[in-house]
Amino acid sequence: MADKDKDNDEVEATIADEAVVIKYKTAGEIANRVLVEIIEKCVEGASVRDVCIWGDNLILEETSKVFKKEKEMKKGIAFPVCISANGCICHFSPITSEPDHVIAKDDVLKIDLGVHLDGFISMIAHTVVVGANADNKITDKKANCFLAAHYASQAALRLMRPGNDTYQITDMVMKVCKEFDCKPVEGMLSHQLQQFKLDGPKTIIQNPSESHRKEHEKATIEANEVYALDVLVSTGTGAARETTAKVSVFKKTEEVYPLKLRASRIFYTEVIQKHSIMPFNLRNFEDEKKAKMGVMECVNHKLIEPFQVLFEKTGETVVQYKFTVLVTATGPARITGLPFEEDLYVPNLSIKDPEILNLLKTSVNQRGILQPVKKKKKKPQKNANNAAGENCSMDVDQSSKSGVEKMEVDA
């Protein structure tokens, strides 16, 4: 009987449970609106480090406002805010003792973050060009890269259906990028998400090498699974490399090892207590110098895993779109993401392949995308009760102080 009870306790919580769906969607709404506010901060002259710190604090603030009655619920940052500029592919979020990046006009910024409620994780990444507008459009090769990444992510989303295999998505992303003479970044993975697990058992690889294809297992998409669908596309070769940029984002693994150094033990204990298995930035530690010392032994013995800061060749552009997908019996439902502003891009290539065009014409549930609220002319208010009634909408940004245009989930 005891063994049977243990088995019941370990049943995975999935989106078959309405309560789980609510947590995913609420985390997704927070991720969406935090991203919108971060984009507002990404202006010429701003510090990437400062914006990342501000964004992390905003995630903590917003998650503290929900599920207040559930005192024991863990919630907060599922992935620290990273802002990777131009040819930097991912994971740039420097600590105070490392070089910063000052945002410049025309920078291509990939903003990546994650939010969790009770361990149910919603991920999002979006790419913007600083200063891009109707009078300063993105053209030619760079525009091709944006269109490739956008349409590759849209095509991949439509293939996230029960019964499809992961390599169908891999091949389709490659096919779309070829139409725009771009390359998906080699070996990048989209992970299945599970409660308190950012890297579940199934993954979708993009642009795999021959060795990747031999090592990476094909998997079948199934109903009630959740994925962070991550598409990164380059104007270059798609080969990622490390440079002198130091790693600042890490996460705890499930490995076990008796640490020798006192600094390492103190650091590891703090990781367990404050972050558990969620990724964290070394900036989160009171003494950054001691944290840098402590993390070294932990990484050497695989107790802590680093998220390497990766780069394309100098002069190339990398674009990223990532969103969270709930796979239902009837198809995928996208619960995070911002609208793609296609009017800002003037590419010199387009999709000709009939298979891709037909796939993109198929409908898909994208209600989780953040959409601007349509502004209506204000009517004279008859009384206070009517005024209150007009404000009880699905607005996800309820603050009037931020200066950010109010947004709502398109239902």
Side-chain angles (χ1 to χ4, degrees):
M1 179 67 79
D3 288 339
K4 194 174 284 186
D5 289 342
K6 185 179 178 182
D7 288 341
N8 289 338
D9 289 342
E10 294 176 358
V11 172
E12 181 189 347
T14 73
I15 58 170
D17 182 345
E18 177 100 20
V20 171
V21 174
I22 289 170
K23 288 171 185 174
Y24 271 119
K25 287 187 173 182
T26 306
E29 289 171 5
I30 293 171
N32 282 343
R33 66 175 178 262
V34 167
L35 178 57
V36 169
E37 298 217 33
I38 288 172
I39 290 171
E40 291 289 318
K41 296 281 184 182
C42 290
V43 295
E44 192 174 353
S47 152
V48 160
R49 181 193 295 120
D50 289 350
V51 177
C52 289
I53 292 170
W54 184 86
D56 285 345
N57 288 334
L58 185 58
I59 292 173
L60 295 175
E61 180 186 333
E62 291 298 311
T63 53
S64 72
K65 297 175 183 177
V66 296
F67 294 101
K68 287 184 176 180
K69 291 181 181 179
E70 299 189 37
K71 303 295 184 185
E72 300 301 314
M73 180 188 286
K74 292 181 180 179
K75 51 191 176 180
I77 297 169
F79 200 88
V81 176
C82 295
I83 302 176
S84 307
N86 305 317
C88 181
I89 296 169
C90 55
H91 306 148
F92 187 79
S93 186
I95 57 177
T96 54
S97 59
E98 297 296 339
D100 195 3
H101 176 82
V102 177
I103 296 172
K105 187 174 182 294
D106 297 326
D107 269 355
V108 177
L109 303 180
K110 293 162 287 297
I111 305 165
D112 189 5
L113 62 93
V115 176
H116 84 93
L117 297 172
D118 198 22
F120 297 105
I121 300 163
S122 285
M123 300 289 291
I124 188 171
H126 193 76
T127 306
V128 297
V129 180
V130 179
N133 54 46
D135 298 319
N136 182 35
K137 295 189 176 186
I138 299 94
T139 61
D140 301 329
K141 187 178 178 182
K142 192 181 287 187
N144 292 341
C145 192
F146 272 88
L147 270 292
H150 168 64
Y151 284 121
S153 68
Q154 287 296 308
L157 174 62
R158 284 159 172 76
L159 293 175
M160 297 288 293
R161 294 182 175 277
N164 284 352
D165 73 63
T166 52
Y167 268 91
Q168 285 178 260
I169 298 163
T170 298
D171 295 340
M172 180 54 69
V173 168
M174 199 75 184
K175 208 169 187 179
V176 173
C177 290
K178 191 175 180 181
E179 295 283 288
F180 291 96
D181 196 21
C182 292
K183 289 284 181 68
V185 177
E186 185 179 308
M188 288 293 169
L189 297 173
S190 294
H191 289 276
Q192 182 184 0
L193 301 173
Q194 295 175 317
Q195 188 177 22
F196 290 108
K197 196 154 191 176
L198 196 65
D199 49 358
K202 296 181 183 181
T203 57
I204 303 163
I205 193 168
Q206 66 169 37
N207 193 10
S209 63
E210 285 304 313
S211 60
H212 285 142
R213 284 188 180 272
K214 289 175 184 176
E215 296 168 7
H216 185 265
E217 291 185 10
K218 182 189 293 187
T220 301
I221 306 290
E222 296 180 57
N224 298 326
E225 293 179 339
V226 181
Y227 289 82
L229 188 57
D230 194 4
V231 174
L232 293 109
V233 178
S234 170
T235 56
T237 62
R241 60 195 176 95
E242 297 175 32
T243 63
T244 56
K246 301 292 185 184
V247 177
S248 62
V249 180
F250 300 83
K251 81 174 182 71
K252 178 184 171 296
T253 69
E254 296 179 357
E255 296 293 323
V256 177
Y257 177 81
L259 293 164
K260 310 298 183 195
L261 301 176
R262 183 171 179 271
S264 304
R265 293 196 298 272
I266 292 171
F267 170 80
Y268 190 63
T269 299
E270 191 171 345
V271 169
I272 293 170
Q273 291 174 347
K274 290 187 176 179
H275 305 287
S276 185
I277 55 81
M278 295 297 177
F280 58 88
N281 193 300
L282 287 184
R283 288 192 310 261
N284 300 133
F285 293 81
E286 189 175 339
D287 191 324
E288 195 176 281
K289 188 176 179 181
K290 286 183 179 178
K292 286 171 71 177
M293 291 171 54
V295 76
M296 289 176 63
E297 186 183 8
C298 296
V299 170
N300 289 340
H301 294 286
K302 296 182 170 50
L303 295 180
I304 297 288
E305 177 185 336
F307 287 85
Q308 301 293 346
V309 184
L310 300 175
F311 289 81
E312 243 287 9
K313 287 196 323 191
T314 303
E316 301 297 350
T317 296
V318 179
V319 176
Q320 178 186 26
Y321 293 108
K322 181 196 293 184
F323 40 80
T324 304
V325 181
L326 310 184
V327 182
T328 71
T330 56
R334 176 181 173 183
I335 63 166
T336 60
L338 303 187
F340 181 69
E341 298 179 272
E342 194 160 350
D343 291 346
L344 293 179
Y345 307 97
V346 186
N348 55 23
L349 294 172
S350 61
I351 298 173
K352 307 293 186 187
D353 188 309
E355 182 190 358
I356 301 171
L357 291 171
N358 287 334
L359 178 62
L360 291 172
K361 286 176 185 175
T362 59
S363 62
V364 67
N365 183 346
Q366 302 200 64
R367 293 176 186 171
I369 299 178
L370 213 56
Q371 301 287 3
V373 174
K374 293 178 181 176
K375 293 182 179 179
K376 298 177 181 177
K377 291 182 179 179
K378 290 184 178 179
K379 296 179 180 179
Q381 295 178 358
K382 294 181 180 179
N383 54 51
N385 290 335
N386 285 345
E390 287 175 2
N391 289 330
C392 60
S393 66
M394 289 179 65
D395 285 352
V396 292
D397 182 2
Q398 296 169 356
S399 169
S400 59
K401 297 178 182 178
S402 67
V404 179
E405 183 181 9
K406 278 196 172 186
M407 311 287 279
E408 71 177 11
V409 175
D410 177 16

